[in-house]
Amino acid sequence: MNLLIKILFLISKMPLKILYIFSDIIFFLNFYFVGYRKKIITQNLKNSFPGKTDEEIKEIRKKFYLNFSDYLAETVKSFSISETESRVRMQHINQHLFHEAKAEGKNIILMAGHVFNWEWMNALATLTPQKNTHPVYRKVNSSFWEGEMKKVRNKFGNEALEANEVILNIFRNQNDGNSIYMFVADQTPHFSTVNYGLKFLNQRTPAFIGYDKLATRMDLIFIYCEMKKVKRGFYQVNYHRIYPDGEKFVKNEVVKKFHQLLENTIRKNPDNYLWSHRKWKYQDSIKTYDGE
């Protein structure tokens, strides 16, 4: 495994224009021969966009495979990418929101979706006035690979936290405007923890609601990360503060607002979302469904 990591690190030192050649090869093999999770991707797209023709679905699927291949190449690049290159390739819009949170003395919950390339947001830690930035990750089966990916997420002064420990960490730490917690908030909950579901992309969707407990119990600032692929190798993330309708968030309000914002992002550029995951496999386990 150590040899593999060394090889990956050496590959990651290559310029992205070289890594994108590998990406093109992966795309060609995947789209025309392998068809990685083709049935799942196609069904997810058809269910999400019932008004689109088979040809339109096929075109989105093809562009998705292109973006997915680039995502793999860019993830490898993450092992060695510099702070300078990260800042050039990922533009952060509305940075004033982080200064407002600092002035208000409130910690921040950042909420992103599986929109390419969420893995490149880590350099945000070098731009904000907050002292502590915590990318939140989920454990993987291999402790070795978990450790290596945690190293990547700990770059640029970040301190990654595992999903099962982050909520307790937030409750225990002082809410003083010095911390940012970065959630990929459209995670699919395990079937044993599916309680709440909502209508998302025309489907009954199990929703991860861990951060909702924070919204109703603590005076935190919630910010949505709108990811956009400007061109190959260059991204823009536009930050939008999520406000409650009333004086404070009520139960599941922030969950609904996040999914509405994410759906709007996906509809603008549907090929840039991670359609290969089995997001809707636990539909039947939903106990409380909000179909509005």
Side-chain angles (χ1 to χ4, degrees), residues 106-163:
K106 299 176 184 178
N107 292 339
I108 296 172
I109 305 297
L110 282 186
M111 305 172 70
H114 281 95
V115 178
F116 302 125
N117 187 341
W118 70 90
E119 292 285 2
W120 273 11
M121 287 181 59
N122 285 355
L124 173 67
T126 67
L127 301 172
T128 64
Q130 282 74 19
K131 295 178 182 178
N132 312 305
T133 305
H134 304 285
V136 180
Y137 70 95
R138 295 178 85 174
K139 281 187 176 180
V140 295
N141 292 331
S142 168
S143 59
F144 175 83
W145 281 112
E146 179 180 336
E148 292 305 317
M149 289 309 297
K150 189 171 181 178
K151 288 179 186 177
V152 171
R153 291 176 177 134
N154 279 342
K155 292 179 66 173
F156 311 125
N158 289 296
E159 183 184 353
L161 294 172
E162 204 277 320

Side-chain angles (χ1 to χ4, degrees), residues 20 36 41 60-75 89-90 112-121 184 186 224-237 262 265-266 269-277:
Y20 285 141
Y36 170 71
I41 295 165
I60 295 172
R61 187 179 67 219
K62 181 178 182 179
K63 289 180 179 178
F64 161 77
Y65 277 126
L66 280 165
N67 289 327
F68 182 69
S69 298
D70 282 356
Y71 162 75
L72 296 177
E74 290 162 3
T75 300
R89 294 189 175 279
M90 179 70 81
H114 281 95
V115 178
F116 302 125
N117 187 341
W118 70 90
E119 292 285 2
W120 273 11
M121 287 181 59
V184 180
D186 63 335
Y224 171 65
C225 310
E226 183 182 16
M227 194 74 67
K228 178 183 178 182
K229 186 171 187 176
V230 179
K231 61 180 180 179
R232 196 176 209 184
F234 293 89
Y235 296 86
Q236 182 184 90
V237 55
L262 178 59
T265 298
I266 294 169
N269 297 285
D271 53 276
N272 215 36
Y273 188 60
L274 188 62
W275 295 105
S276 56
H277 63 178

